[in-house]
Amino acid sequence: MAEEVVLLDFWPSPFGMRSRIALAEKGIKYEYKEEDLRNKSALLLQMNPVHKKIPVLIHNGKPVCESLIQVQYIDEVWHDKAPLLPSDPYQKATGRFWADYVDKKIYDLGSRVWKTKGEEQATAKKEFIETLKLLEKELGDKPYFGGESLGYVDVAFIPFYSWFYAYEKCGNFSIEAECPKLIAWAKRCTQKESVAKSLPDQQKVYDFILEMKKRFGIE
Amino acid sequence: MDEVKLFGFWASPFSRRVIWALKLKGVEYEYIEEDLPYNKSDLLLQYNPVHKKIPVLVHGGKPIAESLVILEYIDEVWPHNPLLPKDAYERSVARFWAKFIEEKTQPMWDFFRKFGEEQQKAIENNYEILRTIEEHGLGDKKFFGGDQIGIADLVFGMVIHMLAPMEEVVGYKFIKADSFPRLHAWVKHFSEHPVIKDNVPDYTKVVDFLKIRREFYRNSQQNS
């Protein structure tokens, strides 16, 4: 039976990027459908009635929602190529723990960095850097969080790299100055075709953020 | 055979779900009660330096934190009486509901933490959440996991462990036979399961514990 894979997505979404990378790592051909989040398609609302959010992965007509759940699904279905999670249960648990940590912290802290100013922004920046430093420590001397090759945590985290320039410009700080090893890791990831073609240009993301700020009346 | 230890707190539904998983699979373990919140042990802080929270499972000296991560680990190491289905698609659905219920757990307790208009909003919010869970999550199944208890059931188990006693303290009941017939049936099936029945904290003890918490919240909002 021919496999039909569709991804409902929104180009700057770091969550959508995770699934794009996972599909690319496995060499899966899929149809990418760009959603207008101010005018969500009937398909999106039908496929994700609970959250009404992107990304939604639709495999042979059946929807999988939530990006990390999609990445695990992709890893399990197309398990014979480029495994993202290791087979050892303890290492798998470690990967899940750190992907969950990224999920709990990065998006919210990053949002506070670009959405706020003054003292609120200063606090957000401080916490954001602390979070990055902890992740940098977890990376250690490994080329990837997954070890020798791109793994689950790398896929969970690298999409936010496309937002770093926007965070830096809005927050007036340098992430590389604080976390050079993390930036080295990020650049290493973007050398991979699956990552390079899944992440948007950082300037484009920054322009998008500026438009968001205007739209929400944030200076 | 590697030693299994669980750091938990008697009133926490997060460590409770790990106890249920271990019991369902017949895994022997040593339970260490943590004196929360002000007297966490050095061992706990050493095993979970990132979040400094319970539950933490330690297997053969290696720690795992975050209850959903722990549940998946337990299911992989001790695969009998599985908590997750074999089919990849069904697994994604089980994970979706485990995550959804987990994320709604703290918001669902807001009706207990808040007063006046904020409490009213929280109550309405709970109805919406429960409606979604009943309609889209449980459907016509006996358990979220189908015929057997699965990962999402263990997460939703907080309704018997924490929501029910909170309801008693506040004097408001959500899951009734007429309001949520399927969830009501689920509560009966889940509570009567032999493993669950024998492994819930003492109800009166939880109610007493929550009565003190409720006063704490009442005083906090009066002083704010």
Side-chain angles (χ1 to χ4, degrees), chain A residues 141-151 154 188 192:
Chain A
D141 292 319
K142 302 193 298 289
Y144 303 99
F145 286 92
E148 292 305 309
S149 55
L150 204 76
D154 302 279
R188 190 176 303 125
K192 301 204 60 136

Side-chain angles (χ1 to χ4, degrees), chain A residues 48-51 59 62-67 69 72-73 76-77 87-90 92-94 96-98 100-101 103-105 134, chain B residues 48 50-51 59 62-66 68-69 72-73 76-77 86-93 95-97 99-100 103-104 132 136:
Chain A
N48 191 357
V50 172
H51 296 300
H59 185 202
K62 298 200 290 192
V64 180
C65 303
E66 296 298 294
S67 62
I69 295 176
Q72 288 182 82
Y73 175 81
E76 286 169 19
V77 171
S87 48
D88 172 69
Y90 188 75
K92 235 191 231 177
T94 304
R96 288 192 173 121
F97 175 86
W98 286 104
D100 173 72
Y101 180 78
D103 245 15
K104 279 180 160 73
K105 298 283 199 181
L134 191 60
Chain B
N48 190 2
V50 174
H51 298 301
H59 186 203
K62 299 197 286 191
I64 302 144
E66 290 303 295
L68 290 184
V69 176
E72 293 236 20
Y73 175 82
E76 280 156 21
V77 174
K86 281 204 172 9
D87 173 71
Y89 184 74
E90 296 302 320
R91 288 161 79 81
S92 76
V93 174
R95 284 177 176 141
F96 177 89
W97 287 105
K99 183 174 194 228
F100 182 82
E103 283 175 353
K104 298 297 183 190
T132 300
H136 295 278

Side-chain angles (χ1 to χ4, degrees), chain B residues 135-208:
Chain B
E135 206 184 299
H136 295 278
L138 184 62
D140 292 322
K141 303 195 296 291
K142 181 179 180 189
F143 295 116
F144 291 88
D147 292 326
Q148 302 297 330
I149 286 177
I151 195 172
D153 296 281
L154 296 185
V155 181
F156 197 56
M158 72 87 180
V159 307
I160 66 164
H161 172 147
M162 191 53 63
L163 197 75
M166 280 180 176
E167 287 171 329
E168 177 159 330
V169 172
V170 170
Y172 193 93
K173 194 156 176 62
F174 291 102
I175 301 174
K176 298 192 277 213
D178 56 351
S179 56
F180 295 106
R182 286 176 282 188
L183 295 184
H184 191 254
W186 179 91
V187 169
K188 185 169 182 290
H189 292 136
F190 189 77
S191 316
E192 287 174 358
H193 188 287
V195 169
I196 306 301
K197 194 160 54 112
D198 289 340
N199 289 290
V200 285
D202 182 270
Y203 187 79
T204 313
K205 206 176 159 199
V206 178
V207 169
D208 289 341

Side-chain angles (χ1 to χ4, degrees), chain A:
Chain A
M1 179 173 97
E3 300 268 31
E4 200 199 55
V5 182
V6 179
L7 184 68
L8 306 182
D9 202 347
F10 179 52
W11 70 269
S13 163
F15 306 102
M17 287 175 221
R18 289 168 170 173
S19 299
R20 288 175 228 165
I21 297 169
L23 288 165
E25 277 287 297
K26 308 281 184 175
I28 304 303
K29 287 203 179 355
Y30 66 98
E31 185 189 348
Y32 179 93
K33 281 195 163 149
E34 187 71 34
E35 284 284 332
D36 175 2
L37 296 188
R38 284 182 291 178
N39 190 20
K40 292 175 180 178
S41 72
L43 182 64
L44 173 58
L45 301 178
Q46 180 200 335
M47 289 286 143
N48 191 357
V50 172
H51 296 300
K52 304 176 175 56
K53 285 180 170 178
I54 57 91
V56 180
L57 180 77
I58 310 172
H59 185 202
N60 295 332
K62 298 200 290 192
V64 180
C65 303
E66 296 298 294
S67 62
L68 288 182
I69 295 176
Q70 288 163 11
V71 173
Q72 288 182 82
Y73 175 81
I74 291 164
D75 201 37
E76 286 169 19
V77 171
W78 293 283
H79 50 81
D80 44 356
K81 187 174 176 196
L84 297 171
L85 274 165
S87 48
D88 172 69
Y90 188 75
Q91 286 178 34
K92 235 191 231 177
T94 304
R96 288 192 173 121
F97 175 86
W98 286 104
D100 173 72
Y101 180 78
V102 168
D103 245 15
K104 279 180 160 73
K105 298 283 199 181
I106 301 292
Y107 186 76
D108 286 342
L109 286 173
S111 292
R112 275 163 52 196
V113 168
W114 71 259
K115 280 182 182 169
T116 66
K117 49 187 179 24
E119 216 181 291
E120 217 190 318
Q121 190 188 52
T123 309
K125 273 160 63 181
K126 183 168 170 285
E127 282 181 45
F128 184 68
I129 290 296
E130 272 167 21
T131 302
L132 293 184
K133 284 199 159 127
L134 191 60
L135 284 159
E136 196 179 49
K137 188 170 158 220
E138 171 59 22
L139 176 68
D141 292 319
K142 302 193 298 289
Y144 303 99
F145 286 92
E148 292 305 309
S149 55
L150 204 76
Y152 185 62
V153 180
D154 302 279
V155 174
F157 187 25
I158 192 61
F160 293 97
Y161 178 61
S162 66
W163 284 54
F164 277 13
Y165 179 67
Y167 295 146
E168 287 175 322
K169 291 286 282 186
C170 294
N172 192 30
F173 69 127
S174 160
I175 295 173
E176 184 156 16
E178 302 276 359
C179 306
K181 275 182 146 178
L182 204 63
I183 297 301
W185 160 82
K187 289 182 175 163
R188 190 176 303 125
C189 287
T190 57
Q191 300 285 344
K192 301 204 60 136
E193 200 192 331
S194 60
V195 176
K197 67 178 189 178
S198 301
L199 264 51
D201 174 66
Q202 296 205 31
Q203 179 67 49
K204 218 179 152 197
V205 173
Y206 179 50
D207 292 338
F208 167 75
I209 292 298
L210 289 178
E211 211 193 289
M212 286 291 112
K213 285 173 79 138
K214 231 187 285 169
R215 201 187 294 171
F216 293 114
I218 306 164
E219 283 162 44

